Amino acid sequence: MELSIYNTLKGKKEVFVPLHAPHVGIYVCGPTVYGDPHLGHARPAITFDILFRYLQHVGYRVRYVRNITDVGHLEHDADSGEDKIARKARVEQLEPMEVVQHYLLRYHDAMRALNVLPPGIEPHASGHIIEQIALVRQILDNGYAYVSEGSVYFDVVKYNRDHRYGILSNRNIDDMLSTTRELDGQGEKRNPLDFALWKKAQPEHIMRWPSPWSEGFPGWHCECTAMGRKYLGEHFDIHGGGMDLIFPHHECEIAQAVASQGSDIVHYWMHNNMITVNGQKMGKSLGNFITLEQFFTGNHPALTQAYAPMTIRFFILQAHYRSTVDFGNEALQASEKGLERLLETYARLQKLTAATASTVDVKGLRERCETAMCDDLNTPVVISHLFDTGRMINTVADGNGALSAEDLEELKATFKLFVEDILGLQESSATSGGTSDEAYKKAVDLLLNIRLQAKQNRDWVTSDRIRNELTSYGFTVKDTKDGFEWKL
């Protein structure tokens, strides 16, 4: 089976052909660590976690790089203004790196809760100033940048004459020039579209480094081009991020690469779509900005309850990564129940015993799931296939069917592959957040085994007492032909 992925640069699905098989290089734009991790961090992390997992599953050796934008860089939407990390450090009387470390640890905690695998390399922008200065030198030497009052700007108009600026976002430079107004403090630019490669630091700017042009700091777009090239080479396979990064960030990355080395570094550009909350774009001004910790604890006025990390992960995977996702309590509650059903079915599957022959047709699940994954990582279709087969598994578990040893072994292996290894769903995080889950399950199983023994000894008083007590605590206990099942 051939893996197809949607290449934003081409505007269509393409069969994935690695540049240096079996090695694959992936670079994903990671977080800017100046605040608690939120939904905007969760979706790209989970999207490219699925890509990472699946590429490894089909046999590639993947070098996965996800950067950290830390101190010294400007806000994303402008070439002037104060670094958000520096501002927070000044207000809270901290060193900028203290701010970075605090929020980076919280980001890592959230990613672990969501079962997002760590990248192989996680470079910091502030740790690669030398590489960014070298990139700026190359662009200057090739004539596509200019120095102005100690800062260095990319000459978009000149670049566009030789190449095309707007190739990724499908924008026309004349239209952009006609709709772009001159901003205050931008008089040192030749035209409003020019973007900073290096900025001379103002006296209040905390983080600064020496350069041939001034004491200052790199422009935001430089870091990914410089670090991607350092760790993955002058040409690598996949660059990913959210759709909000297509313009200007990734557009500027392409221009920087072409201007410095004559060709784009990236073969496939992949982008996940945006998230909304109750139909609105998430934003602090709208009162719907919800951090991941608030989702996990339920501590936000817009939330009616807490949602486990696996519920968030499952909810994101129920939509294709290129479609929008709207977070709301009703939708999340439906996902919570859906995930519970899937994991209950998976647990029941583990307890089934083989028969001499199958009376239900469960063949072809692995092939159907592989086909869906090869179709641009179509996780919603994979989930639907698992649910379809799950109905037959539950039929067998209820005593109304049978599975041969061969079919049962294949089902167990396929469910483990797609539920755990590829979709990354975990039962422990879907219940109590992973705290002492194994001991908790063993304790309940012990009680129910004592009850089972009491029933066999016709000790109905003990049997009924255990069942009634567990029911009063919120447990549902179901007797089966093979023993018992329970859930909270």
Side-chain angles (χ1 to χ4, degrees), residues 27-279:
Y27 188 100
V28 174
C29 290
T32 302
V33 283
Y34 61 81
D36 282 328
H38 52 77
L39 284 179
H41 293 125
R43 191 166 197 197
I46 291 172
T47 294
F48 293 101
D49 182 56
I50 295 294
L51 175 66
F52 183 30
R53 289 169 180 267
Y54 195 67
L55 286 172
Q56 291 184 106
H57 160 65
V58 297
Y60 292 118
R61 296 182 63 184
V62 184
R63 176 171 288 179
Y64 180 20
V65 182
R66 186 182 67 206
N67 73 295
I68 299 296
T69 300
D70 52 10
V71 294
H73 289 64
L74 295 169
E75 295 185 21
H76 295 183
D77 57 355
D79 286 325
S80 65
E82 188 177 11
D83 184 332
K84 291 180 180 179
I85 295 171
R87 182 168 65 236
K88 197 170 191 71
R90 183 177 291 109
V91 170
E92 298 182 11
Q93 296 185 328
L94 298 170
E95 281 291 327
M97 280 301 184
E98 288 183 280
V99 176
V100 170
Q101 185 71 1
H102 172 77
Y103 289 113
L104 182 57
L105 290 174
R106 293 176 71 81
Y107 173 78
H108 286 158
D109 287 344
M111 294 303 105
R112 278 192 292 271
L114 293 167
N115 197 24
V116 170
L117 299 176
I121 302 174
E122 194 174 53
H124 288 228
S126 62
H128 295 78
I129 302 299
I130 292 173
E131 290 83 359
Q132 293 175 77
I133 289 175
L135 173 68
V136 177
R137 280 182 181 273
Q138 283 182 307
I139 297 172
L140 274 168
D141 290 344
N142 290 338
Y144 292 110
Y146 56 91
V147 180
S148 177
E149 300 180 23
S151 296
V152 183
Y153 291 98
F154 190 94
D155 194 331
V156 172
V157 173
K158 184 174 181 180
Y159 171 83
N160 189 67
R161 285 199 295 265
D162 299 332
H163 306 283
R164 183 193 164 192
Y165 184 76
I167 191 171
L168 183 65
S169 58
N170 199 28
R171 300 187 184 205
N172 181 281
I173 190 170
D174 293 329
D175 294 337
M176 286 188 278
L177 286 169
S178 66
T179 58
T180 303
R181 63 184 179 85
E182 189 76 29
L183 299 175
D184 292 339
Q186 302 298 294
E188 58 192 53
K189 293 183 181 183
R190 290 178 183 172
N191 74 73
L193 291 182
D194 294 350
F195 56 90
L197 298 173
W198 184 266
K199 283 292 289 183
K200 180 180 179 180
Q202 299 301 311
E204 67 274 9
H205 204 94
I206 299 175
M207 299 301 292
R208 57 181 68 210
W209 293 267
S211 80
W213 316 287
S214 65
E215 192 171 84
F217 48 91
W220 172 46
H221 310 302
C222 288
E223 62 181 90
C224 292
T225 306
M227 293 190 293
R229 188 159 61 184
K230 177 179 177 66
Y231 294 109
L232 298 174
E234 291 190 350
H235 299 96
F236 61 84
D237 296 292
I238 298 171
H239 194 324
M243 281 189 176
D244 58 324
L245 297 178
I246 292 176
F247 188 88
H249 186 46
H250 289 164
E251 195 74 72
C252 293
E253 280 195 58
I254 291 176
Q256 289 172 161
V258 175
S260 63
Q261 67 181 39
S263 59
D264 188 10
I265 293 174
V266 181
H267 193 190
Y268 299 89
W269 287 90
M270 291 183 67
H271 295 90
N272 62 273
N273 212 324
M274 296 295 97
I275 57 172
T276 55
V277 179
N278 294 318

Side-chain angles (χ1 to χ4, degrees), residues 249-470:
H249 186 46
H250 289 164
E251 195 74 72
C252 293
E253 280 195 58
I254 291 176
Q256 289 172 161
V258 175
S260 63
Q261 67 181 39
S263 59
D264 188 10
I265 293 174
V266 181
H267 193 190
Y268 299 89
W269 287 90
M270 291 183 67
H271 295 90
N272 62 273
N273 212 324
M274 296 295 97
I275 57 172
T276 55
V277 179
N278 294 318
Q280 291 183 306
K281 183 178 178 180
M282 187 175 67
K284 290 182 179 178
S285 61
L286 297 173
N288 63 358
F289 185 88
I290 308 175
T291 68
L292 289 173
E293 183 180 15
Q294 288 171 326
F295 271 104
F296 300 160
T297 62
N299 186 25
H300 190 279
L303 300 175
T304 58
Q305 65 175 76
Y307 297 99
M310 282 299 102
T311 299
I312 302 296
R313 185 179 179 101
F314 184 68
F315 183 73
I316 288 174
L317 294 178
Q318 280 185 298
H320 190 269
Y321 77 89
R322 288 193 291 112
S323 65
T324 57
V325 171
D326 184 57
F327 281 76
N329 284 289
E330 290 185 7
L332 283 167
Q333 288 160 9
S335 280
E336 187 176 57
K337 292 176 182 176
L339 175 61
E340 183 182 6
R341 288 198 309 273
L342 179 62
L343 294 179
E344 281 179 3
T345 300
Y346 186 31
R348 298 187 85 186
L349 173 63
Q350 308 311 311
K351 297 177 182 178
L352 294 182
T353 55
T356 54
S358 295
T359 60
V360 295
D361 183 10
V362 293
K363 295 186 183 299
L365 175 62
R366 183 187 295 264
E367 290 74 16
R368 291 192 296 274
C369 290
E370 293 278 11
T371 298
M373 287 301 297
C374 285
D375 183 18
D376 197 25
L377 309 178
N378 203 329
T379 56
V381 173
V382 172
I383 292 170
S384 71
H385 290 326
L386 293 172
F387 273 121
D388 288 342
T389 302
R391 283 192 284 272
M392 288 181 274
I393 292 170
N394 287 325
T395 296
V396 175
D398 290 337
N400 299 317
L403 287 169
S404 68
E406 181 183 1
D407 284 348
L408 183 57
E409 183 180 352
E410 171 63 13
L411 266 187
K412 287 181 178 180
T414 301
F415 260 73
K416 180 186 184 304
L417 172 63
F418 286 96
V419 173
E420 291 188 41
D421 301 341
I422 293 176
L423 296 182
L425 299 171
Q426 298 176 321
E427 184 178 1
S428 60
S429 295
T431 53
S432 61
T435 304
S436 304
D437 276 343
E438 198 59 37
Y440 160 77
K441 292 175 186 175
K442 287 180 179 178
V444 178
D445 284 343
L446 175 63
L447 273 174
L448 289 175
N449 277 312
I450 294 172
R451 175 178 175 269
L452 192 61
Q453 187 64 48
K455 286 177 62 181
Q456 292 170 352
N457 295 334
R458 297 182 178 276
D459 182 359
W460 309 119
V461 173
T462 300
S463 170
D464 289 347
R465 181 183 176 187
I466 292 173
R467 183 187 186 108
N468 292 339
E469 288 285 341
L470 285 174

